Amino acid sequence: MGDTPKRRVAVFGAGYIGLVTGACLAELGHQVVVRDISPEKIELLRSGEIPIYEPGLGDMIVRNKERLTFTLDLQEALASAEVVYVCVDTPPSASGDADLSRVWSVVRSLEGAPRLRVVAMKSTVPVGTGTRVREALDAAGLGHVGYAANPEFTAEGTAVNDFLHPDRVVVGASDEETARLVAQLHEGVDGPVVRMDVRSAEMVKLASNALLATKISFINEIATLCEKTGADVEEVARAVGLDHRLGHHFLRPGIGWGGSCFPKDSEALRQLASNTGYHLQLLSAVIEVNNLQKRRAIQKLKDVLGTLAGGRVTLLGLTFKPGTDDMREAPSTVLAARLLAEGAEVRCWDPMARPAETEPWTSTTRHATPETALDGADAAIVVTEWPQLKEVDWARAASAMRRPVLFDGRNMLDPAGMRALGFTYLGVGRP
């Protein structure tokens, strides 16, 4: 790691991004304090418990306990901080724009930071936010404090590894000293640092997620066409992905994308374009395809069962992806709501999900195992590709279901094998 000085860093926000950022910077040798306004969250962290599930994060926090602290107190966080990382939520507002109220709350609190040299933005913000933050810092007498856009590109379930072994570290800054300091913070990270202006760095995050969402929606469109023509989308995607210009990443057909980034960032980019008077036609279609994908799953069951009214349908997996407990924008929420609206009884299984005590989840029943959730069901939908589903005794499940109808929304099971066990098997883009 050379002779680069270790910094004192304050991370604002103890969510997924804030905790991973704080823990990884501590792992790199920096002195880090994570500040949040939730007493429950800080109390958990101080007691050694992690309020989210992220592989490797808990061990890293324990390993760096001498360099990583947690606080509710603003002055404690700012007292010696040379760098402040903004890692707070920016949810969609009523207008569809990103709600930056938490970002501005952090910016307004920085006036009394005696040693502050740089404010770095991890939160996903609209292009142009950095200019407004710069103006606010100048107005607060913090003209000497640099500003950098340092977007995150971590995926839940692999976030720690993604931070320490990234494809790139994007640093957007208007002055060389700020860019150098933020780059030096990442010394020891296994990935190239890419420097650019602030507005370009802000755009990179939105554009990256929009392109990934586009690949998913594209292969789902091809999957629908495969169903109508007798082609197999799995074979098509495999061969398409071997083209080095395209790659196989995210060419996986399924029920659609969800989570904390793709839906929010795609809508934010579309809204950003609308605010400039430009309509992003391609991205609008990408979002529409994704919204329809969940509803097509319900229609497939109706085509087989005739009606869902009075039927029992099991959702296998609730989180938006395996390896996380995150339910944000999960396709399962739309599926459960639509099934209930059709008059079905909804059963659920997931090893980690913690659905909110709100509709539609208060009208569903949770089961401890896939097998008990399938008993007596008329149909099941594989929503999340949890590896446990590979271990289910599907022969027993077929005999225990009232009607062994299975929609494999992630194409994770063998169609011929499932049909041999007596299932009416439905996949995505499979003949």
Side-chain angles (χ1 to χ4, degrees):
M1 296 188 184
D3 298 323
T4 302
K6 299 308 174 187
R7 302 293 182 181
R8 293 185 176 273
V9 181
V11 175
F12 280 70
Y16 276 95
I17 303 307
L19 285 179
V20 170
T21 298
C24 289
L25 288 175
E27 179 82 357
L28 294 173
H30 304 292
Q31 197 73 35
V32 181
V33 55
V34 177
R35 193 249 177 169
D36 201 275
I37 60 173
S38 167
E40 296 81 10
K41 191 178 290 185
I42 294 300
E43 187 176 336
L44 278 174
L45 290 164
R46 283 175 169 171
S47 67
E49 296 186 49
I50 311 300
I52 59 173
Y53 176 76
E54 184 60 43
L57 180 60
D59 291 341
M60 181 176 283
I61 288 175
V62 170
R63 186 165 63 247
N64 291 283
K65 61 184 179 181
E66 299 302 319
R67 287 193 294 267
L68 182 61
T69 57
F70 305 95
T71 186
L72 292 165
D73 187 81
L74 173 64
Q75 295 309 316
E76 180 183 346
L78 293 178
S80 60
E82 299 169 88
V83 181
V84 161
Y85 263 98
V86 184
C87 300
V88 294
D89 289 345
T90 54
S93 65
S95 66
D97 297 289
D99 179 355
L100 300 182
S101 57
R102 295 179 180 89
V103 169
W104 292 120
S105 178
V106 174
V107 173
R108 286 192 297 268
S109 73
L110 300 179
E111 196 169 348
R115 300 181 60 185
L116 187 59
R117 294 181 59 186
V118 169
V119 175
M121 186 66 66
K122 274 284 184 209
S123 299
T124 303
V125 296
V127 179
T129 300
T131 300
R132 295 171 59 199
V133 174
R134 176 72 271 161
E135 292 170 353
L137 292 173
D138 292 344
L142 296 173
H144 62 285
V145 174
Y147 178 83
N150 181 212
E152 57 84 21
F153 301 98
T154 55
E156 289 177 37
T158 59
V160 170
N161 185 72
D162 292 344
F163 189 103
L164 296 175
H165 304 277
D167 294 324
R168 75 289 200 202
V169 176
V170 173
V171 178
S174 56
D175 66 275
E176 179 61 26
E177 183 181 353
T178 298
R180 187 186 307 111
L181 193 154
V182 176
Q184 288 174 347
L185 282 173
H186 294 82
E187 189 167 303
V189 162
D190 177 27
V193 174
V194 182
R195 298 187 188 182
M196 61 189 67
D197 62 279
V198 173
R199 287 177 180 256
S200 297
E202 291 169 337
M203 182 65 84
V204 167
K205 174 62 187 298
L206 296 172
S208 295
N209 280 345
L211 182 55
L212 294 176
T214 298
K215 292 187 73 172
I216 298 171
S217 285
F218 173 80
I219 202 63
N220 279 334
E221 285 263 76
I222 296 299
T224 300
L225 192 56
C226 284
E227 291 172 8
K228 296 183 180 298
T229 59
D232 186 334
V233 73
E234 294 293 326
E235 296 299 323
V236 173
R238 181 167 63 91
V240 168
L242 291 173
D243 189 323
H244 70 277
R245 299 168 301 172
L246 304 173
H248 64 275
H249 295 294
F250 288 83
L251 287 181
R252 288 294 309 277
I255 288 178
W257 36 267
S260 61
C261 287
F262 285 2
K264 179 174 72 71
D265 292 355
S266 297
E267 287 288 356
L269 187 57
R270 181 164 67 168
Q271 189 66 37
L272 177 68
S274 297
N275 292 342
T276 68
Y278 181 67
H279 175 60
L280 284 176
Q281 299 182 60
L282 177 59
L283 186 57
S284 294
V286 166
I287 294 169
E288 182 182 357
V289 168
N290 193 63
N291 291 338
L292 287 173
Q293 200 68 9
K294 308 172 189 72
R295 287 162 173 77
R296 291 188 70 248
I298 304 301
Q299 187 59 49
K300 286 188 175 187
L301 293 188
K302 290 175 70 174
D303 290 344
V304 173
L305 298 174
T307 180
L308 295 173
R312 298 173 183 166
V313 181
T314 298
L315 299 181
L316 296 171
L318 300 180
T319 57
F320 85 95
K321 64 183 284 189
T324 179
D325 58 357
D326 198 346
M327 291 285 295
R328 286 178 288 181
E329 300 292 333
S332 61
T333 303
V334 174
L335 294 174
R338 286 297 311 132
L339 288 167
L340 290 168
E342 293 282 347
E345 172 193 331
V346 180
R347 301 171 168 197
C348 308
W349 167 82
D350 191 287
M352 298 194 67
R354 292 177 287 184
E357 289 297 321
T358 57
E359 291 292 347
W361 303 116
T362 50
S363 295
T364 67
T365 56
R366 291 289 300 275
H367 292 261
T369 67
E371 290 81 1
T372 57
L374 290 165
D375 284 351
D378 294 290
I381 304 176
V382 175
V383 183
T384 313
E385 58 270 41
W386 285 106
Q388 293 92 319
L389 295 177
K390 291 274 192 181
E391 311 303 321
V392 169
D393 185 343
W394 288 106
R396 179 199 172 280
S399 62
M401 293 175 71
R402 264 195 327 209
R403 297 182 65 179
V405 176
L406 178 71
F407 173 53
D408 185 355
R410 299 299 179 185
N411 286 358
M412 70 176 298
L413 303 170
D414 175 54
M418 297 303 288
R419 291 185 181 115
L421 295 176
F423 279 96
T424 299
Y425 175 91
L426 310 168
V428 181
R430 287 171 154 177

